[in-house]
Amino acid sequence: MISDRDQFGRDRQGDDLYQLVETDFDAPPLPGEVRMTDDLDQLIDAVAADLVVHAENCVREFGDFHLALSGGSTPEPLYERLMYDPNYRRLPWRRTQLWIVDERCVPFDDTRSNFRMIRESIVDHSDIPPDQVHPIFAESASAAEDYESSLKEALAWRERGQDRLDYVLLGMGVDGHTASLFPANTALHEPDRLVAAVHHKPVDPADRVTMTYNLINAARFISVMVSGSSKAAMIDRVARGNDSIETVPIKGVAPLEGQLKWYLDREACGVVSSD
Ligand code: 6PG
């Protein structure tokens, strides 16, 4: 049974939904809470279980659940597990409003489209009503403005103070970017906008649309899922270095009132397995 001791799952979160295995290494000193696992499989369980509890708590409290998901390769197996694992099938998709954290300016059938991946892994296999699925039409010149308007309109149905995203799932690139907030990009300093258009030459495609810190940091719960040894050096830099947001954008993720939780596997922590 899930504990509902805390309406936002602050104490127990999803631990009752999966077998929590304690790790034998120390947590990097990151801001917020850090959950470590031995491998990616357990990492997926840890994120999925917390996500389900948050969704249920929000639906109980507000009647709906505003969820923003990232693209990239790390969360894809998480999205698949949400669909096929009976423990997580109970996520109340019929009450969920599904948003996209960032999108590449490509057609929806392009393999680089974040929405394509999320549609194929979740939307096509859940009972979420189509009008509660909110892709970013990134190829449109007004994509950022349009997406911001849709978000404001949808969130305005809520009471003041609760008009924010409930859960934002982020990843992290080896260069320390998150969402499509890249080093030295003007979107890092967007004073008011909730969604911004981005051009960042080194990545493919260079043109993107992204949620900004303003929207992300207002969320009730921000989870950052990082896996694999290629990310270990950056995790260490985020935890122990003195970089600015300008060079390591994920350091700008700092919830205003909500919670921040990192989900890291052994490799992302730079710890070599003892066996
Ligand atoms: C995107 C993402 C991006 C991603 C990181 C990590 O559209 O690419 O939203 O911020 O989370 O780049 O990507 P990987 O999981 O593929 O390493």
Side-chain angles (χ1 to χ4, degrees):
M1 285 293 293
I2 294 176
S3 162
D4 58 358
R5 186 171 51 191
D6 179 301
Q7 65 177 350
F8 303 127
R10 278 189 186 120
D11 293 324
R12 298 292 303 268
Q13 298 178 7
D15 296 359
D16 291 351
L17 276 179
Y18 73 109
Q19 192 70 39
L20 176 64
V21 183
E22 294 295 340
T23 49
D24 57 3
F25 50 94
D26 293 333
L30 292 160
E33 196 182 339
V34 183
R35 165 61 55 81
M36 298 164 305
T37 65
D38 267 320
D39 55 33
L40 176 61
D41 196 58
Q42 291 172 27
L43 190 71
I44 291 169
D45 273 329
V47 181
D50 283 353
L51 173 56
V52 169
V53 171
H54 278 277
E56 290 182 328
N57 288 343
C58 283
V59 167
R60 195 179 302 127
E61 192 69 14
F62 311 123
D64 59 5
F65 176 55
H66 283 271
L67 168 66
L69 295 180
S70 283
S73 56
T74 309
E76 193 168 355
L78 162 71
Y79 301 160
E80 287 165 359
R81 190 166 306 175
L82 288 174
M83 292 299 107
Y84 72 69
D85 189 320
N87 278 330
Y88 312 129
R89 279 296 296 185
R90 62 203 251 185
L91 197 149
W93 291 106
R94 290 195 65 75
R95 299 288 194 89
T96 298
Q97 298 283 342
L98 177 57
W99 303 93
I100 312 294
V101 170
D102 66 323
E103 186 57 280
R104 294 96 183 264
C105 297
V106 294
F108 286 139
D109 59 0
D110 189 294
T111 53
R112 295 168 297 174
S113 161
N114 283 341
F115 182 65
R116 182 199 58 80
M117 185 273 278
I118 291 166
R119 187 190 64 215
E120 288 178 359
S121 54
I122 292 181
V123 177
D124 290 351
H125 306 284
S126 69
D127 58 357
I128 186 166
D131 62 349
Q132 291 170 207
V133 179
H134 306 282
I136 301 174
F137 292 91
E139 289 187 291
S140 157
S142 57
E145 292 78 6
D146 295 346
Y147 208 58
E148 178 165 324
S149 300
S150 302
L151 275 156
K152 281 182 171 166
E153 196 182 318
L155 292 170
W157 285 96
R158 283 189 164 186
E159 278 177 37
R160 219 179 158 76
Q162 293 169 358
D163 48 353
R164 52 189 175 142
L165 293 171
D166 293 309
Y167 189 109
V168 177
L169 177 70
L170 298 173
M172 185 193 79
V174 291
D175 61 352
H177 82 263
T178 192
S180 282
L181 296 166
F182 293 100
N185 196 278
T186 51
L188 301 178
H189 307 289
E190 187 49 68
D192 308 306
R193 301 296 309 272
L194 304 183
V195 183
V198 166
H199 180 81
H200 186 68
K201 201 87 189 270
V203 294
D204 172 46
D207 291 312
R208 312 228 172 164
V209 175
T210 187
M211 292 185 173
T212 63
Y213 294 130
N214 302 327
L215 182 61
I216 294 169
N217 287 339
R220 196 174 307 283
F221 190 90
I222 304 171
S223 90
V224 186
M225 181 183 183
V226 184
S227 165
S229 54
S230 66
K231 309 276 176 79
M234 184 50 74
I235 286 293
D236 187 57
R237 221 168 123 180
V238 176
R240 299 183 177 87
N242 295 315
D243 296 274
S244 65
I245 291 170
E246 193 73 10
T247 47
V248 177
I250 200 159
K251 292 189 79 167
V253 175
L256 296 171
E257 289 176 19
Q259 273 182 282
L260 169 62
K261 187 166 176 178
W262 298 77
Y263 297 84
L264 309 172
D265 63 9
R266 175 183 287 271
E267 289 188 344
C269 294
V271 180
V272 180
S273 174
S274 47
D275 42 62

